[in-house]
Amino acid sequence: MQRIFGLIKDKAEKLLAGGTVNRIIGWTGGEFFYDPTPAVFKSKEELEGLVYNSFCASNLSKYLINESKKDGKILALLKPCDTYGFNQLVKEHRINKDNVYVLGIECSGMIDINKIRDLGIKGITGISEEDDSLVIQTIYGEKSCRRSDVLLEKCLCCKGKQHMAYDELVCADKPTDGSCQDTLEASAKPSESTTDRFEMVKKLEAMSPEERYSFWRDELSKCIRCNACRNICPSCSCVKCVFDNDASGIASKANTDAFEENLFHIIRAFHVAGRCTDCGECSRVCPQHIPLHLLNRKIIKDINELYGEYQAGKDAESRGPLTDFAMDDPEPGIVAERGGDH
């Protein structure tokens, strides 16, 4: 990770000094070592605060909506999964692509600090990595665990190491010119260890209506309406959210009853239907650890079965299944056979 960080920083400094870009969006240190936060750097001096480690999970594509409208060109450090969100926002004319220089960066999966805590490891002060081993410094002494056991949910369902959009790439294998797409394409498909992202969706589908209702009531009742899921979601990019619009009839800053807890998340899931790239940011930032990604994955699974396999954000040109029309399209509300290719 240190090697790739050095390459990223060196490339960013050169692009900034050469005038190719006038600012960079990346990550800087947070209050703790495991919570780096998105930040914009405008000078070589400010770049001293740049970090890139196994906790830089934030999808930076959402921030480019506003940044790409400013003067000059911004350098965006995007991991492979982030480029899906970037493409989707370009497709929806939310990002001015001409004002963005995408530097595709390597990612070997991001670590979930909560999974480490769930192993009973407390008082964490630092972490060092070596292959699949983590050595964790705590106030109680050193602990250890396997890196693969504490990856974020979205990393367990990785789409692959190939960037869907980039102007230039940096990777540790070819540090001289940063041209590493050949290497990355060899691992474009998810590894054999990648889990079935629809596994939990299938379990929910197999439940009775009463069991499903109970599951989601237990989860959604934890919601504190902090709006973190909405604010981080690349697909939630409306200029004014329906929940902030007094004329919508559903504007609200807090849940007033159980119905509203359901309403907020279900409406949000339907609003991003066919556009959600399954980046998993909604669940990652939820302070109540609600598995919000399952709502989106259920809709993705249904779209795949009704209209054929589709991955939002794979490119910036094609029309999505819910924004296109074909004479043989199914009518899900009437009758439809799943598993077709439409």
Side-chain angles (χ1 to χ4, degrees):
M1 186 64 77
Q2 279 299 111
R3 180 174 176 77
I4 192 64
F5 170 63
L7 295 170
I8 291 169
K9 188 175 181 183
D10 181 62
K11 177 59 66 175
E13 288 179 353
K14 289 179 179 177
L15 290 171
L16 187 64
T20 302
V21 301
N22 67 353
R23 61 201 189 283
I24 297 106
I25 185 167
W27 302 266
T28 192
E31 184 175 358
F32 304 102
F33 74 91
Y34 50 79
D35 66 346
T37 184
V40 174
F41 308 90
K42 298 179 180 179
S43 67
K44 182 177 179 180
E45 291 70 30
E46 289 184 3
L47 264 177
E48 291 303 311
L50 177 71
V51 301
Y52 183 60
N53 56 41
S54 294
F55 294 98
C56 292
S58 302
N59 184 341
L60 300 181
S61 61
K62 176 69 175 276
Y63 303 92
L64 293 174
I65 295 175
N66 289 329
E67 286 296 327
S68 69
K69 293 178 175 61
K70 298 178 181 178
D71 292 336
K73 182 169 285 193
I74 185 167
L75 175 66
L77 309 180
L78 300 185
K79 306 183 295 296
C81 61
D82 300 341
T83 60
Y84 289 84
F86 175 79
N87 274 343
Q88 190 63 31
L89 287 167
V90 169
K91 183 185 298 188
E92 296 171 8
H93 308 290
R94 301 293 282 123
I95 288 178
N96 182 354
K97 190 177 182 181
D98 293 338
N99 286 351
V100 182
Y101 191 98
V102 175
L103 186 65
I105 60 178
E106 270 190 13
C107 176
S108 55
M110 295 290 153
I111 295 173
D112 187 340
I113 191 67
N114 293 310
K115 284 188 176 181
I116 296 178
R117 290 170 175 153
D118 290 342
L119 294 175
I121 301 175
K122 308 297 182 183
I124 302 170
T125 59
I127 292 177
S128 58
E129 304 179 44
E130 185 174 347
D131 297 326
D132 192 40
S133 298
L134 295 183
V135 177
I136 305 159
Q137 291 79 43
T138 79
I139 59 176
Y140 308 108
E142 280 191 354
K143 308 289 182 180
S144 63
C145 69
R146 293 198 308 168
R147 191 178 192 280
S148 54
D149 289 339
V150 292
L151 291 176
L152 285 169
E153 163 64 29
K154 66 177 185 177
C155 299
L156 294 176
C157 303
C158 177
K159 302 179 188 69
K161 305 302 181 184
Q162 186 176 8
H163 294 78
M164 297 295 108
Y166 65 91
D167 291 289
E168 198 170 347
L169 296 166
V170 293
C171 68
D173 289 340
K174 293 185 179 180
T176 55
D177 63 359
S179 177
C180 52
Q181 190 67 355
D182 289 345
T183 302
L184 296 175
E185 284 178 354
S187 57
K189 294 182 179 180
S191 66
E192 293 181 358
S193 61
T194 302
T195 59
D196 175 10
R197 63 173 172 158
F198 298 121
E199 181 179 357
M200 186 58 192
V201 174
K202 293 172 185 174
K203 290 181 179 179
L204 288 169
E205 288 175 337
M207 293 180 181
S208 67
E210 293 76 19
E211 289 171 331
R212 271 198 306 277
Y213 181 80
S214 177
F215 172 86
W216 282 114
R217 281 305 306 132
D218 287 345
E219 293 295 343
L220 298 180
S221 65
K222 303 172 188 174
C223 178
I224 59 174
R225 278 302 294 276
C226 65
N227 287 327
C229 56
R230 180 191 72 176
N231 295 343
I232 197 65
C233 175
S235 295
C236 268
S237 62
C238 292
V239 174
K240 188 169 188 178
C241 177
V242 65
F243 290 101
D244 293 336
N245 184 356
D246 292 335
S248 69
I250 56 172
S252 178
K253 296 294 184 183
N255 294 321
T256 55
D257 52 38
F259 174 72
E260 196 155 11
E261 287 172 349
N262 295 340
L263 184 74
F264 175 72
H265 292 291
I266 292 173
I267 286 181
R268 210 184 73 78
F270 273 103
H271 277 191
V272 301
R275 300 163 48 241
C276 170
T277 65
D278 196 14
C279 72
E281 286 289 84
C282 52
S283 293
R284 183 185 69 83
V285 301
C286 179
Q288 299 297 87
H289 309 301
I290 303 171
L292 297 169
H293 63 281
L294 293 178
L295 289 170
N296 300 322
R297 284 185 182 171
K298 165 59 178 169
I299 294 175
I300 292 171
K301 181 174 179 290
D302 285 348
I303 288 174
N304 287 348
E305 292 175 351
L306 290 166
Y307 299 99
E309 292 288 328
Y310 176 75
Q311 173 58 59
K314 191 172 183 179
D315 61 67
E317 295 82 29
S318 64
R319 296 177 67 88
L322 301 185
T323 56
D324 201 6
F325 173 75
M327 291 301 295
D328 59 347
D329 273 348
E331 294 286 349
I334 303 173
V335 60
E337 293 184 7
R338 295 176 181 248
D341 186 12
H342 299 276

